[in-house]
Amino acid sequence: MNKKYLLAAILPFAVWDVYKYIFARRRPPLLNTLLDKKTHCPEYYVWRDERAEALESKVHLCYTIQSERGETLQGFYFPCGKKFGKKIAFIVHGYHSEHAETAGMLHEYYHSRGFDIFCPDNTASGLSDGSWFGYDVFESADCLKWLGFLENEFGGDIQIILHGFSLGGATVMKMSDRVPDTVKFIVEDSGFVDARPILRSQLGLAYGLIDKMNEHIAGYSLDDTDVTGNLAHAKCPMLFAHGMDDPTVPFENAPHAFDACPNEKDCLFTEGTRHIETMFTSGAAYAAKIDAFITKYIK
């Protein structure tokens, strides 16, 4: 059954469980069984998981900060050599994911270019505290705090590439007007420009109720997930990547985001590619796009 209609059918009986399915770290088991379907081919999962395992086996440093909400957040730093802390790829994972699952896809690429990798577990994810996802509201505030931490730890002359996937893509767009000068450019992959249309398509008439519940429980409005205003005042160059056959975050988000950004920018929109699969399906083209930005914007 289509997810939209299944959610609509069960809403009168299980509004609380539906809310938790969408916003909570721990999903209700029954709804998770019914609704959480794999959206990638088996080869993608093998590729992703092998790289996550390879990343976790590498020597790394663990850091913690406190969010403004009082949560303890964990961050992981993977140096590519003995001297580190000057060129950093800051990788932001997506919804119901964690640091290694996402950063693993890129660690070989960035290490080969001389970049250390920093990748936090966002709120309600991995080893970090938190019960509720922020749909880019919490995550952007936390990642801005991590940027300040990295500058304090390694100095004001560090050069950072900010690279986000899915919810992480929305997060880096939400941050784009507030990043410090240490961020030299942003790579946004498969992010939504506004969570509201996606959730409305799933919830139908129940959207308003769920939104109000979220304001009361998690403490933010879904209106605040819109990143177009942030993109309009973006402070650094941006690269946008998105699969044109994305079933999770519709492709229409990508040209909308691209058009909203007035800065120097480029894009990689790939046919036959699903959600966050561009590095998997078009790795050489992806690397070439980032290489061009590194050549132009990194000293």
Side-chain angles (χ1 to χ4, degrees), residues 231-242:
L231 285 171
H233 299 94
K235 296 176 65 175
C236 61
M238 296 189 67
L239 172 62
F240 298 86
H242 210 115

PDB file of all heavy atoms in Angstrom, residues 231-242:
ATOM      1  N   LEU A 231      19.506  30.305   1.801  1.00  0.00           N
ATOM      2  CA  LEU A 231      20.253  30.211   0.549  1.00  0.00           C
ATOM      3  C   LEU A 231      20.375  31.570  -0.138  1.00  0.00           C
ATOM      4  O   LEU A 231      21.388  31.865  -0.771  1.00  0.00           O
ATOM      5  CB  LEU A 231      19.576  29.217  -0.392  1.00  0.00           C
ATOM      6  CG  LEU A 231      19.749  27.737  -0.060  1.00  0.00           C
ATOM      7  CD1 LEU A 231      18.845  26.890  -0.954  1.00  0.00           C
ATOM      8  CD2 LEU A 231      21.204  27.307  -0.228  1.00  0.00           C
ATOM      9  N   ALA A 232      19.339  32.390  -0.010  1.00  0.00           N
ATOM     10  CA  ALA A 232      19.366  33.713  -0.650  1.00  0.00           C
ATOM     11  C   ALA A 232      20.489  34.586  -0.105  1.00  0.00           C
ATOM     12  O   ALA A 232      20.902  35.547  -0.765  1.00  0.00           O
ATOM     13  CB  ALA A 232      18.026  34.415  -0.460  1.00  0.00           C
ATOM     14  N   HIS A 233      20.990  34.255   1.084  1.00  0.00           N
ATOM     15  CA  HIS A 233      22.073  35.032   1.699  1.00  0.00           C
ATOM     16  C   HIS A 233      23.287  34.151   1.979  1.00  0.00           C
ATOM     17  O   HIS A 233      24.072  34.426   2.893  1.00  0.00           O
ATOM     18  CB  HIS A 233      21.577  35.680   2.995  1.00  0.00           C
ATOM     19  CG  HIS A 233      20.442  36.632   2.796  1.00  0.00           C
ATOM     20  ND1 HIS A 233      19.114  36.248   2.922  1.00  0.00           N
ATOM     21  CD2 HIS A 233      20.421  37.942   2.427  1.00  0.00           C
ATOM     22  CE1 HIS A 233      18.342  37.288   2.666  1.00  0.00           C
ATOM     23  NE2 HIS A 233      19.103  38.318   2.370  1.00  0.00           N
ATOM     24  N   ALA A 234      23.453  33.091   1.195  1.00  0.00           N
ATOM     25  CA  ALA A 234      24.581  32.172   1.385  1.00  0.00           C
ATOM     26  C   ALA A 234      25.905  32.926   1.327  1.00  0.00           C
ATOM     27  O   ALA A 234      26.081  33.836   0.518  1.00  0.00           O
ATOM     28  CB  ALA A 234      24.543  31.076   0.337  1.00  0.00           C
ATOM     29  N   LYS A 235      26.844  32.518   2.176  1.00  0.00           N
ATOM     30  CA  LYS A 235      28.088  33.260   2.339  1.00  0.00           C
ATOM     31  C   LYS A 235      29.269  32.670   1.577  1.00  0.00           C
ATOM     32  O   LYS A 235      30.357  33.245   1.593  1.00  0.00           O
ATOM     33  CB  LYS A 235      28.436  33.337   3.832  1.00  0.00           C
ATOM     34  CG  LYS A 235      27.421  34.117   4.656  1.00  0.00           C
ATOM     35  CD  LYS A 235      27.746  34.085   6.139  1.00  0.00           C
ATOM     36  CE  LYS A 235      29.044  34.800   6.467  1.00  0.00           C
ATOM     37  NZ  LYS A 235      29.289  34.854   7.923  1.00  0.00           N
ATOM     38  N   CYS A 236      29.093  31.512   0.927  1.00  0.00           N
ATOM     39  CA  CYS A 236      30.223  30.904   0.232  1.00  0.00           C
ATOM     40  C   CYS A 236      29.729  30.131  -0.989  1.00  0.00           C
ATOM     41  O   CYS A 236      28.520  29.902  -1.136  1.00  0.00           O
ATOM     42  CB  CYS A 236      31.002  29.990   1.176  1.00  0.00           C
ATOM     43  SG  CYS A 236      30.057  28.620   1.854  1.00  0.00           S
ATOM     44  N   PRO A 237      30.623  29.737  -1.879  1.00  0.00           N
ATOM     45  CA  PRO A 237      30.210  28.973  -3.066  1.00  0.00           C
ATOM     46  C   PRO A 237      29.554  27.642  -2.683  1.00  0.00           C
ATOM     47  O   PRO A 237      29.830  27.081  -1.612  1.00  0.00           O
ATOM     48  CB  PRO A 237      31.525  28.747  -3.808  1.00  0.00           C
ATOM     49  CG  PRO A 237      32.440  29.815  -3.310  1.00  0.00           C
ATOM     50  CD  PRO A 237      32.065  30.039  -1.883  1.00  0.00           C
ATOM     51  N   MET A 238      28.713  27.127  -3.590  1.00  0.00           N
ATOM     52  CA  MET A 238      27.974  25.902  -3.297  1.00  0.00           C
ATOM     53  C   MET A 238      27.930  24.989  -4.511  1.00  0.00           C
ATOM     54  O   MET A 238      27.783  25.445  -5.650  1.00  0.00           O
ATOM     55  CB  MET A 238      26.552  26.222  -2.830  1.00  0.00           C
ATOM     56  CG  MET A 238      26.499  26.991  -1.518  1.00  0.00           C
ATOM     57  SD  MET A 238      24.824  27.165  -0.827  1.00  0.00           S
ATOM     58  CE  MET A 238      24.457  25.459  -0.401  1.00  0.00           C
ATOM     59  N   LEU A 239      28.040  23.684  -4.247  1.00  0.00           N
ATOM     60  CA  LEU A 239      27.867  22.636  -5.244  1.00  0.00           C
ATOM     61  C   LEU A 239      26.640  21.821  -4.860  1.00  0.00           C
ATOM     62  O   LEU A 239      26.536  21.349  -3.725  1.00  0.00           O
ATOM     63  CB  LEU A 239      29.107  21.743  -5.294  1.00  0.00           C
ATOM     64  CG  LEU A 239      29.018  20.477  -6.146  1.00  0.00           C
ATOM     65  CD1 LEU A 239      28.792  20.806  -7.621  1.00  0.00           C
ATOM     66  CD2 LEU A 239      30.284  19.625  -5.972  1.00  0.00           C
ATOM     67  N   PHE A 240      25.714  21.650  -5.798  1.00  0.00           N
ATOM     68  CA  PHE A 240      24.472  20.920  -5.543  1.00  0.00           C
ATOM     69  C   PHE A 240      24.486  19.605  -6.320  1.00  0.00           C
ATOM     70  O   PHE A 240      24.709  19.603  -7.538  1.00  0.00           O
ATOM     71  CB  PHE A 240      23.262  21.753  -5.975  1.00  0.00           C
ATOM     72  CG  PHE A 240      23.105  23.044  -5.221  1.00  0.00           C
ATOM     73  CD1 PHE A 240      23.775  24.188  -5.634  1.00  0.00           C
ATOM     74  CD2 PHE A 240      22.312  23.117  -4.096  1.00  0.00           C
ATOM     75  CE1 PHE A 240      23.643  25.388  -4.946  1.00  0.00           C
ATOM     76  CE2 PHE A 240      22.167  24.311  -3.387  1.00  0.00           C
ATOM     77  CZ  PHE A 240      22.838  25.450  -3.823  1.00  0.00           C
ATOM     78  N   ALA A 241      24.220  18.490  -5.628  1.00  0.00           N
ATOM     79  CA  ALA A 241      24.134  17.176  -6.264  1.00  0.00           C
ATOM     80  C   ALA A 241      22.792  16.540  -5.911  1.00  0.00           C
ATOM     81  O   ALA A 241      22.322  16.659  -4.774  1.00  0.00           O
ATOM     82  CB  ALA A 241      25.287  16.275  -5.800  1.00  0.00           C
ATOM     83  N   HIS A 242      22.187  15.860  -6.888  1.00  0.00           N
ATOM     84  CA  HIS A 242      20.899  15.221  -6.615  1.00  0.00           C
ATOM     85  C   HIS A 242      20.605  14.204  -7.713  1.00  0.00           C
ATOM     86  O   HIS A 242      20.852  14.468  -8.894  1.00  0.00           O
ATOM     87  CB  HIS A 242      19.774  16.256  -6.578  1.00  0.00           C
ATOM     88  CG  HIS A 242      18.642  15.908  -5.674  1.00  0.00           C
ATOM     89  ND1 HIS A 242      18.327  16.654  -4.555  1.00  0.00           N
ATOM     90  CD2 HIS A 242      17.748  14.890  -5.701  1.00  0.00           C
ATOM     91  CE1 HIS A 242      17.279  16.125  -3.948  1.00  0.00           C
ATOM     92  NE2 HIS A 242      16.911  15.044  -4.628  1.00  0.00           N
TER      93      HIS A 242
END
